[in-house]
Amino acid sequence: MRRWIPIAIPACVSAIMIGAVGVGELLSGAAPTSVDSLSGTVSSDFPVESVQIPSDAGSSDGDSGVHGWLRRGEHGGGVVLLVHSIRSNRVEMLSRARFLNARGYGVLLIDLQAHGETPGERITFGARESENVEAAVAFLRKNFPSERIAAIGVSLGAAAIVLAGHPLRLDAVVLESMHPTIKEAVENRLRLHLGEAGRVLSPLLLWQLTFRLNVPPEALNPITRIGNLNAPLLLISGTDDRHTTVAETGRLFEAARQPKEMWIVPGGGHFNMHAYAGKEYEGHILDFLEPYMHERGADGWMDQDATHQRAHSNNGI
């Protein structure tokens, strides 16, 4: 029996290393999908314009355009940027685009780099995806200079908004199911799939991811950057979300600046809160956006007393 120990230990270590590499590839490997071919189907009842926005983040072959769909709204109604979750694409945000546009908002749905039809070699957990968000906001500012602009991001999309390296100058932001740190995001997913033993792989997996991406882990922590987000904020999380817990969302909320609100959805999980909460979700989003996108004072903002009164009345955990 003892003679097998020198063989078994290296074999176990090798198996762990191979497993970690496989999980790392699964997490960071590109997720391309042919999306724009669906525009004809979408246009049958929801006409959209296909757009390609120049961005610094992209593939090594020089094709760095952010692919997306634009649907114009009512003049003066505002425009909302919609940013999908990890390993998804702009189609995920289509149901949100429909109800927002029905209320008069213009909407821009984009594919983040290495997702959908936007090129990219690897998913970078917000590092390069944030450049896509910056490019999309700049596109909206250029093409809709008189409109107020909001953004709704889900999971990776939310992190990409928060991790933007330059001020986005947004008028309202909704962040759904967003992790506070990359370490917690990785640990929660390993625990979910492998049990408590999965946490043992966390340091190895984090090292591997940051090595692949050439990005330090602290650069991928939304909680250290959310305080720089100079816009009214709505944070959304579900009570049954095991990828990002309510407690983690509470820490993000504490780190954010006012005005801010938080909505914890009873029974909600990590994916597609709109599909889960339906009309209740739509009501929360529309009620939150309305004062910041439509009601203006002399300086273009709501009366500050009204803003803070609204924020403090809605900031419970």
Side-chain angles (χ1 to χ4, degrees):
M1 183 70 177
R2 291 181 179 177
R3 70 174 181 269
W4 292 105
I5 293 177
I7 299 174
I9 292 177
C12 289
V13 172
S14 297
I16 291 172
M17 293 288 289
I18 292 171
V21 169
V23 174
E25 182 62 34
L26 179 63
L27 288 175
S28 65
T33 308
S34 179
V35 175
D36 206 42
S37 60
L38 298 174
S39 60
T41 303
V42 173
S43 297
S44 62
D45 65 338
F46 191 73
V48 294
E49 304 171 37
S50 294
V51 298
Q52 187 170 342
I53 305 164
S55 174
D56 291 336
S59 64
S60 58
D61 63 7
D63 180 8
S64 59
V66 178
H67 291 247
W69 288 329
L70 174 67
R71 166 87 172 192
R72 298 174 188 272
E74 298 175 2
H75 179 70
V79 186
V80 182
L81 171 65
L82 300 171
V83 195
H84 62 78
S85 64
I86 193 167
R87 309 199 71 79
S88 185
N89 55 59
R90 71 190 100 146
V91 176
E92 176 189 1
M93 308 302 287
L94 189 56
S95 67
R96 293 169 175 83
R98 291 178 187 274
F99 83 77
L100 289 166
N101 190 249
R103 186 57 69 94
Y105 292 104
V107 288
L108 174 62
L109 306 77
I110 63 170
D111 291 337
L112 293 171
Q113 69 96 36
H115 292 80
E117 294 185 325
T118 298
E121 296 176 355
R122 289 203 173 275
I123 297 168
T124 66
F125 307 97
R128 298 191 188 104
E129 292 82 0
S130 63
E131 298 175 25
N132 302 150
V133 170
E134 291 182 35
V137 173
F139 170 85
L140 292 176
R141 289 289 177 201
K142 178 180 179 180
N143 288 276
F144 302 92
S146 63
E147 299 286 354
R148 298 180 75 79
I149 298 173
I152 299 176
V154 180
S155 189
L156 172 63
I161 293 169
V162 174
L163 295 175
H166 301 91
L168 294 176
R169 297 191 302 118
L170 293 169
D171 296 290
V173 176
V174 179
L175 304 175
E176 302 180 27
S177 308
M178 183 179 73
H179 56 275
T181 68
I182 188 65
K183 180 176 183 289
E184 288 166 299
V186 169
E187 286 185 350
N188 287 347
R189 283 154 179 78
L190 288 174
R191 187 185 299 111
L192 182 61
H193 295 290
L194 302 176
E196 288 299 323
R199 296 184 63 180
V200 177
L201 291 176
S202 178
L204 179 60
L205 187 57
L206 283 170
W207 173 84
Q208 181 200 159
L209 287 177
T210 55
F211 176 78
R212 286 174 181 265
L213 306 177
N214 194 28
V215 176
E218 55 271 19
L220 303 176
N221 294 339
I223 196 166
T224 64
R225 304 281 287 277
I226 195 169
N228 298 331
L229 195 62
N230 189 17
L233 172 65
L234 172 61
L235 274 172
I236 300 177
S237 181
T239 59
D240 294 356
D241 188 346
R242 297 171 63 189
H243 294 77
T244 301
T245 67
V246 171
E248 290 167 357
T249 303
R251 285 170 40 225
L252 286 164
F253 181 79
E254 291 300 320
R257 64 172 66 182
Q258 294 281 7
K260 57 185 177 181
E261 304 176 28
M262 184 163 63
W263 179 36
I264 303 300
V265 183
H270 190 70
F271 299 105
N272 207 333
M273 206 68 75
H274 182 214
Y276 175 78
K279 292 296 182 182
E280 185 180 9
Y281 174 94
E282 295 177 12
H284 267 83
I285 297 297
L286 293 172
D287 287 348
F288 170 73
L289 291 178
E290 179 71 21
Y292 303 119
M293 299 292 280
H294 294 155
E295 294 182 16
R296 302 169 184 252
D299 62 351
W301 285 90
M302 287 182 64
D303 175 79
Q304 289 298 306
D305 290 338
T307 298
H308 286 289
Q309 182 178 0
R310 173 182 168 87
H312 285 294
S313 67
N314 291 281
N315 65 1
I317 296 177

